[in-house]
């Protein structure tokens, strides 16, 4: 398994202070994607990835980030509900890294 270089993110706290977190791999990709999508958020349908719920769980618990989950209905042959994840608060990716698709 290849090691990934950690990417620095700056999180603005509710009191105006900032803190730095370093993430790598798919967790860093997930946070960068949440930042880029803004209020539109991310769904596993429009941005497929193996384990969105695990990435979100990690960012909430280990990154102490506020990420809203909204449930939306969808049709099709496997109709049901899917989650839309929306990053709340201000997070900046310090390293401008391009992730491979």
């Amino acid at each position: 398994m290849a090691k990934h270089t950690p990417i620095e993110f700056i999180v603005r706290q509710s009191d105006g202070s900032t803190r730095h977190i370093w993430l790598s791999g798919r967790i860093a990709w997930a946070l960068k994607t949440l930042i880029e999508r803004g209020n539109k958020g991310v769904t596993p349908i429009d941005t497929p990835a193996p384990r969105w719920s695990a990435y979100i769980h990690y960012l909430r618990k280990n990154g102490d980030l506020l990420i809203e989950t909204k449930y939306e209905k969808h049709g099709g042959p496997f109709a049901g509900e899917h989650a839309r994840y929306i990053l709340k608060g201000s997070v900046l990716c310090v390293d401008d890294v391009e992730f491979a698709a």
Side-chain angles (χ1 to χ4, degrees):
M1 175 184 280
K3 297 249 179 179
H4 298 282
T5 303
I7 298 169
E8 183 179 7
F9 294 88
I10 300 174
V11 181
R12 182 170 308 279
Q13 305 289 98
S14 59
D15 65 2
S17 65
T18 58
R19 65 185 170 86
H20 297 251
I21 58 174
W22 286 264
L23 303 169
S24 61
R26 286 190 176 265
I27 300 294
W29 168 82
L31 181 52
K32 189 167 183 196
T33 303
L34 286 164
I35 292 167
E36 290 169 353
R37 295 293 169 83
N39 290 330
K40 180 181 176 190
V42 176
T43 73
I45 291 175
D46 63 23
T47 310
R51 304 197 48 208
W52 265 111
S53 59
Y55 308 150
I56 299 302
H57 177 78
Y58 184 93
L59 291 168
R60 285 175 175 153
K61 298 302 177 192
N62 299 324
D64 198 26
L65 298 175
L66 181 58
I67 301 170
E68 180 182 7
T69 302
K70 291 183 177 180
Y71 293 96
E72 303 172 344
K73 295 190 181 299
H74 63 265
F78 302 101
E81 287 187 339
H82 63 268
R84 178 173 300 276
Y85 302 109
I86 304 166
L87 178 64
K88 299 296 184 177
S90 177
V91 182
L92 172 70
C93 180
V94 174
D95 303 316
D96 193 358
V97 176
E98 288 293 323
F99 289 95

